[in-house]
């Protein structure tokens, strides 16, 4: 992944100086699999299960992450041999799901276990469902009856969900769209046709042509600059110009070092970008201190609120059904990322196990935001001190069907980690007969955003896995409740004040929180480490985007997505508990999720614990979201609380040599005159 990509040939001189910041180092145990390793894995599988006797498809190939104690032991003495490097391969083999562990040193299969529980692995993109459906005579008849051209039809595939069925097969639902006159295919659905395909048999098992609605018009769906027409505006400046002779950070293999931060940057087919081993240098102690062992997006749940036939099962699990890493999109220099960004390629295994490169999948850059890190003007003496805020951003984008998720991890010299997600892309819409809201007589389940186009109400819930190790693995979870007190001293006129009452969560059920139910702060602390005044060192969670589920608890999608029932969860570390929605999400039944693990009510005080935070959005679409949606942002912050003895950026030095040499352009003021 450490293959450096630069924005364009215009930055050749920059490339010369930046390449020196990259060095090749030997494997670190958490490094993602390499193209060579993917090829080895593919060969080992095919040698063990040769064709045509075995019908095999690859649904996940990734690092079999060593157990955490083994990693920590190696880190404490890196001159010893690292833990064995192994790969986890999940396949469909002769209509069964196999979990295969491969030792990459000996190039042998260590174990092969058939999964017999509920649910299926990530959907495999090799399914040729579009060709199958477009060759199906009843479908061709339906298209002809609608006056459409079959050559302008494209079809996708989605999971079918689970709605109480006792038995299940590996099925996908196939929605189709019309491309004539527009590249914005998601805004031109062919409504009223239900198609279900058994992907083990590659047969259509259900076909219904229920209703006839007009396909929404192509007019107004264009978003490409080259195809848009006058008038344009407003006119915005491009990327800010700044000195590029020093990127400000170092990349050594998969380890990134910037300012006082050091962390490992990985990538996974299902999770996408993974941040590990994040530590910050304490200038007073002259040592790096642990903050986070591992952090990533564990699951993304997107339920749509149309319960009618053909729509009720649109309840997507974007990570567990499609793979957030598989959906990573190449980033565009100067637009997705600024001029000072360094780009990285990643590699994943394709549907047949062949390594696939995603170019420019990650970018890293210093953000010179124009914000203030800290400042003060002393009114009694002529003193003013101010520091400009600079941070390091690591970014990737996952395009899952119609939606684009912009995922940022932002590291600040103050010790904060700001985690952001931006929602953009194209709405999922339903074709209807309506052209005006006055025609709607019953619940339309969304907003009429254009002729014959209802943008359906929906939610986005992103479950973040945050294994914080604050100055070590043994941590506790603290709830700081804000309590109103009455003033009992009659000699003062005040009637009340607020104070705090701290509560240590003893077990998993103690730690579940619906934020907003009462005023509180939450933090992960090390109960064995203290500051000089006697406070426990810790990091607090500053929440954002705290929407919770509105579905009934007995609704089947909510049973599967019970991890959204609370905004905050805490579990003891367990290598197998990585995915909030369970290891096998497609057609899962909610029996192996974050919601069920915590029912064991394990002890979490002074233990190696994992914090789970659920970012939530309720989205009622508006016309401004059409035909492509301006980015809606949310996220949260992990902020040090009594971690340092005093302000860690008190002595920060700003390099003013990086200031751009520019003059004010007075024509800017005339653009809107």
């Amino acid at each position: 992944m450490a293959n450096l990509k630069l924005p364009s040939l215009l930055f050749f001189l920059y490339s010369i100086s930046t390449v020196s910041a990259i060095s090749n180092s030997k494997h670190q145990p958490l490094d993602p699999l390499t193209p060579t390793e993917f090829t080895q894995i593919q060969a080992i599988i095919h040698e063990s299960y040769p064709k045509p006797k075995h019908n095999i498809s690859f649904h996940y190939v990734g690092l079999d992450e060593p157990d955490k104690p083994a990693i920590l032991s190696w880190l404490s003495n890196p001159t010893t041999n690292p833990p064995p490097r192994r790969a986890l391969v999940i396949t469909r083999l002769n209509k069964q799901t196999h979990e295969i562990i491969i030792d990459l040193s000996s190039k042998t299969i260590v174990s092969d276990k058939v999964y017999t529980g509920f649910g299926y692995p990530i959907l495999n993109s090799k399914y040729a469902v579009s060709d199958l459906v477009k060759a199906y005579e009843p479908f061709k008849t339906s298209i002809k009856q609608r006056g459409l051209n079959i050559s302008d039809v494209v079809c996708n595939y989605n999971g079918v969900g689970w709605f109480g069925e006792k038995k299940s097969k590996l099925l996908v639902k196939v929605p189709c769209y019309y491309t004539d006159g527009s590249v914005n295919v998601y805004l031109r659905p062919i409504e009223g046709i239900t198609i279900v395909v058994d992907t083990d048999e590659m047969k259509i098992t259900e076909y219904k042509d229920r209703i006839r609605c007009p396909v929404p018009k192509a007019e107004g769906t264009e978003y490409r600059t080259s195809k848009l027409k006058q008038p344009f505006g407003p006119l915005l400046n491009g990327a800010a110009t700044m000195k590029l002779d020093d990127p400000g950070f170092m990349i050594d293999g998969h380890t990134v070092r910037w300012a006082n931060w050091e962390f490992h940057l990985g990538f996974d087919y299902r999770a996408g970008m993974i941040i590990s081993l994040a530590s910050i240098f304490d200038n007073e102690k002259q040592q790096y201190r642990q903050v986070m062992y591992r952090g990533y997006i564990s699951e993304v749940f997107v339920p749509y609120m149309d319960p009618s036939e053909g729509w009720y099962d649109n309840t997507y699990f974007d990570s567990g059904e499609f793979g957030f890493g598989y959906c990573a999109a190449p980033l565009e220099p100067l637009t997705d990322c600024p001029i000072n960004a360094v780009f990285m390629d990643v590699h994943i295994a394709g549907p047949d196990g062949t390594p696939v490169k995603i170019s420019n999948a990650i970018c890293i850059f210093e953000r010179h935001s124009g914000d203030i890190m800290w400042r003060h003007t002393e009114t009694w003496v002529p003193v003013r001190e101010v520091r400009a805020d600079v941070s390091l951003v690591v970014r990737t984008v996952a395009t899952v069907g119609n939606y684009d998720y912009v995922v940022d991890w932002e590291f600040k010299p103050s010790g904060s980690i700001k985690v952001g997600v931006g929602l953009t892309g194209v709405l999922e819409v339903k074709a209807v007969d309506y052209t005006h809201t006055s025609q709607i007589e019953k619940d339309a389940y969304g907003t009429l955003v254009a002729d014959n186009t209802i943008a359906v109400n929906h939610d986005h819930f992103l479950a973040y896995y945050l294994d914080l190790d604050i100055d070590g693995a043994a941590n506790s979870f603290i709830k700081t409740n804000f309590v109103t007190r009455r003033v009992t001293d009659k000699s003062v006129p005040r009637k009340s004040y607020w104070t705090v009452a701290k509560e240590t969560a003893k077990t998993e059920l103690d730690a579940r929180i619906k934020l907003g139910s009462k005023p509180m702060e939450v933090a992960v602390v090390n109960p064995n480490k203290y500051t000089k005044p006697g406070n426990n060192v810790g990091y607090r969670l500053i929440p954002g985007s705290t929407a919770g589920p509105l579905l009934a608890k007995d609704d089947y999608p909510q049973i599967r997505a019970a991890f959204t029932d609370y905004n905050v969860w805490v579990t003891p570390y367990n290598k197998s508990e990585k995915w909030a929605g369970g290891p096998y999400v497609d057609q899962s039944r909610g029996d192996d999720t974050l919601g069920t693990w915590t029912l064991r009510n394990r002890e979490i005080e002074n233990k190696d614990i994992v914090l789970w935070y659920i970012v939530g959005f309720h989205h009622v679409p508006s016309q401004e979201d059409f035909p492509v949606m301006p980015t809606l942002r949310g996220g949260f912050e992990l902020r040090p609380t009594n971690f340092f003895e005093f302000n860690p950026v008190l002595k920060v030095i700003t390099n003013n040599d990086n200031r751009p040499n520019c003059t004010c352009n007075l024509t800017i003021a005339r653009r809107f005159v």
Side-chain angles (χ1 to χ4, degrees):
M1 190 183 76
N3 179 22
L4 177 65
K5 292 292 183 182
L6 295 162
S8 76
L9 293 176
L10 294 175
F11 307 135
F12 175 68
L13 293 177
Y14 177 37
S15 70
I16 295 175
S17 63
T18 305
V19 169
S20 64
I22 309 293
S23 69
N24 295 318
S25 58
K26 62 182 181 180
H27 275 309
Q28 201 262 25
L30 292 177
D31 285 356
L33 299 176
T34 67
T36 300
E37 290 172 327
F38 283 125
T39 301
Q40 290 174 348
I41 292 164
Q42 182 191 43
I44 292 168
I45 295 293
H46 283 310
E47 183 179 350
S48 301
Y49 305 101
K51 295 180 178 180
K53 181 180 178 181
H54 298 283
N55 181 20
I56 190 167
S57 59
F58 292 76
H59 293 251
Y60 174 85
V61 183
L63 180 71
D64 181 34
E65 178 188 331
D67 205 24
K68 184 176 178 180
I71 293 287
L72 296 179
S73 175
W74 178 81
L75 288 171
S76 66
N77 188 8
T79 60
T80 60
N81 291 328
R85 188 161 172 83
R86 295 177 172 178
L88 169 63
V89 185
I90 299 177
T91 68
R92 286 291 288 177
L93 177 60
N94 300 330
K95 302 179 184 179
Q96 291 182 312
T97 299
H98 284 244
E99 300 172 344
I100 302 171
I101 302 294
I102 294 177
D103 187 293
L104 293 169
S105 299
S106 62
K107 300 180 176 59
T108 59
I109 292 178
V110 176
S111 66
D112 183 351
K113 183 175 71 173
V114 175
Y115 173 71
T116 58
F118 297 122
Y120 295 97
I122 296 171
L123 299 172
N124 188 298
S125 61
K126 83 166 190 176
Y127 302 142
V129 294
S130 184
D131 294 338
L132 178 68
V133 167
K134 290 174 68 174
Y136 190 57
E137 289 300 328
F139 181 73
K140 291 196 286 187
T141 299
S142 296
I143 294 301
K144 185 176 181 180
Q145 289 173 343
R146 284 166 166 77
L148 306 177
N149 188 339
I150 192 72
S151 64
D152 292 320
V153 173
V154 295
C155 299
N156 199 359
Y157 59 90
N158 297 320
V160 297
W162 173 71
F163 294 89
E165 299 88 353
K166 299 298 182 182
K167 296 182 179 181
S168 62
K169 295 181 178 181
L170 187 51
L171 306 174
V172 295
K173 189 178 77 168
V174 184
C176 296
Y177 307 89
Y178 202 53
T179 64
D180 183 37
S182 177
V183 298
N184 202 343
V185 295
Y186 286 104
L187 294 185
R188 306 202 71 202
I190 302 172
E191 200 69 44
I193 300 176
T194 298
I195 312 164
V196 177
V197 174
D198 182 329
T199 57
D200 275 337
E201 302 287 348
M202 284 310 293
K203 291 171 53 178
I204 294 175
T205 60
E206 180 183 348
Y207 185 85
K208 292 181 183 178
D209 189 348
R210 308 182 314 275
I211 56 174
R212 302 281 168 83
C213 290
V215 174
K217 300 173 184 177
E219 181 183 358
T221 64
E222 186 58 73
Y223 54 81
R224 293 171 294 176
T225 301
S226 61
K227 301 294 182 181
L228 295 174
K229 298 178 181 179
Q230 294 280 8
F232 291 104
L235 177 63
L236 303 177
N237 282 332
T241 302
M242 61 193 311
K243 286 185 67 174
L244 298 176
D245 56 353
D246 180 7
F249 53 89
M250 297 283 291
I251 303 175
D252 181 8
H254 291 269
T255 298
V256 180
R257 298 182 180 91
W258 172 81
N260 47 355
W261 279 102
E262 176 179 290
F263 57 89
H264 182 274
L265 178 56
F267 197 85
D268 178 76
Y269 186 100
R270 180 167 175 173
M273 187 164 63
I274 299 176
I275 304 293
S276 302
L277 307 177
S279 298
I280 189 166
F281 189 77
D282 188 323
N283 199 47
E284 298 306 306
K285 295 180 181 291
Q286 286 292 294
Q287 66 182 34
Y288 277 97
R289 300 172 64 190
Q290 296 169 275
V291 175
M292 185 173 70
Y293 177 74
R294 207 145 168 85
Y296 56 87
I297 293 176
S298 175
E299 190 53 83
V300 182
F301 177 48
V302 189
Y304 281 79
M305 298 299 135
D306 186 336
S308 62
E309 185 178 1
W311 269 85
Y312 70 86
D313 51 359
N314 286 5
T315 54
Y316 307 121
F317 291 79
D318 285 347
S319 177
E321 290 179 335
F322 302 102
F324 230 50
Y326 170 73
C327 296
L331 300 173
E332 291 289 334
L334 300 182
T335 47
D336 281 319
C337 309
I339 193 171
N340 59 325
V342 169
F343 289 78
M344 287 181 165
D345 302 334
V346 301
H347 294 85
I348 59 172
D352 61 354
T354 302
V356 175
K357 182 173 78 171
I358 305 174
S359 299
N360 292 3
I362 296 175
C363 73
I364 308 173
F365 59 92
E366 281 190 334
R367 174 176 281 162
H368 299 255
S369 62
D371 290 334
I372 297 170
M373 181 183 294
W374 63 263
R375 78 171 324 278
H376 180 61
T377 299
E378 184 54 65
T379 56
W380 303 108
V381 292
V383 172
R384 181 176 69 249
E385 286 285 321
V386 61
R387 300 291 185 272
D389 199 15
V390 181
S391 56
L392 185 76
V393 178
V394 187
R395 173 174 295 167
T396 189
V397 172
T399 301
V400 189
N402 56 302
Y403 259 103
D404 294 63
Y405 295 89
V406 183
V407 179
D408 284 356
W409 289 79
E410 181 176 2
F411 296 85
K412 303 181 81 64
S414 62
S416 284
I417 304 174
K418 297 188 73 173
V419 184
V421 60
L423 311 181
T424 181
V426 178
L427 298 167
E428 182 152 340
V429 302
K430 179 179 182 178
V432 293
D433 291 322
Y434 314 129
T435 58
H436 194 274
T437 57
S438 62
Q439 300 167 333
I440 302 175
E441 296 180 352
K442 59 180 182 178
D443 194 345
Y445 313 117
T447 304
L448 187 69
V449 293
D451 287 354
N452 310 117
T453 306
I454 289 284
V456 178
N457 300 330
H458 58 281
D459 296 325
H460 297 267
F461 295 105
L462 296 94
Y464 281 85
Y465 175 102
L466 304 164
D467 184 353
L468 300 182
D469 282 1
I470 309 302
D471 257 353
N475 287 178
S476 293
F477 182 66
I478 305 295
K479 293 185 278 187
T480 300
N481 298 297
F482 293 85
V483 182
T484 300
R485 303 287 192 201
R486 298 292 295 183
V487 176
T488 57
D489 186 348
K490 301 300 183 181
S491 66
V492 297
R494 280 285 296 274
K495 301 293 185 181
S496 63
Y497 66 101
W498 64 259
T499 188
V500 297
K502 294 192 175 183
E503 172 189 352
T504 301
K506 305 292 186 182
T507 65
E508 293 174 278
L509 296 184
D510 290 339
R512 300 186 307 185
I513 296 174
K514 292 183 179 180
L515 293 172
S517 57
K518 61 179 182 178
M520 68 168 62
E521 287 184 352
V522 297
V524 174
V525 307
N526 188 323
N528 313 295
K529 299 286 182 68
Y530 300 89
T531 59
K532 291 177 182 177
N535 296 306
N536 283 123
V537 301
Y539 263 69
R540 62 184 157 125
L541 170 70
I542 300 179
S545 312
T546 58
L550 299 176
L551 296 178
K553 282 188 175 292
D554 63 348
D555 200 353
Y556 293 106
Q558 191 57 36
I559 292 172
R560 299 172 64 205
F563 60 86
T564 66
D565 287 344
Y566 296 87
N567 304 108
V568 177
W569 308 70
V570 179
T571 60
Y573 167 81
N574 184 322
K575 177 186 172 182
S576 67
E577 296 176 359
K578 298 172 60 176
W579 311 113
Y584 295 95
V585 175
D586 181 40
Q587 299 182 61
S588 61
R589 304 188 180 186
D591 60 335
D592 189 11
T593 70
L594 176 59
T596 55
W597 307 332
T598 56
L599 294 177
R600 286 174 279 179
N601 205 23
R602 295 164 290 186
E603 293 184 358
I604 59 172
E605 185 179 13
N606 204 10
K607 304 284 186 182
D608 187 359
I609 58 177
V610 176
L611 175 69
W612 305 76
Y613 180 64
I614 314 301
V615 174
F617 302 86
H618 297 306
H619 188 182
V620 179
S622 64
Q623 287 183 248
E624 288 81 3
D625 297 332
F626 182 93
V628 65
M629 177 180 162
T631 303
L632 174 66
R633 292 181 172 85
F636 59 95
E637 181 178 350
L638 300 170
R639 187 180 179 94
T641 179
N642 301 318
F643 186 81
F644 298 101
E645 293 293 341
F646 53 84
N647 179 356
V649 288
L650 177 69
K651 301 177 183 179
V652 71
I653 299 174
T654 302
N655 182 7
N656 292 330
D657 289 340
N658 282 333
R659 290 178 180 175
N661 183 13
C662 62
T663 56
C664 181
N665 184 354
L666 297 179
T667 61
I668 295 175
R670 301 192 185 102
R671 288 177 180 164
F672 298 99
V673 176

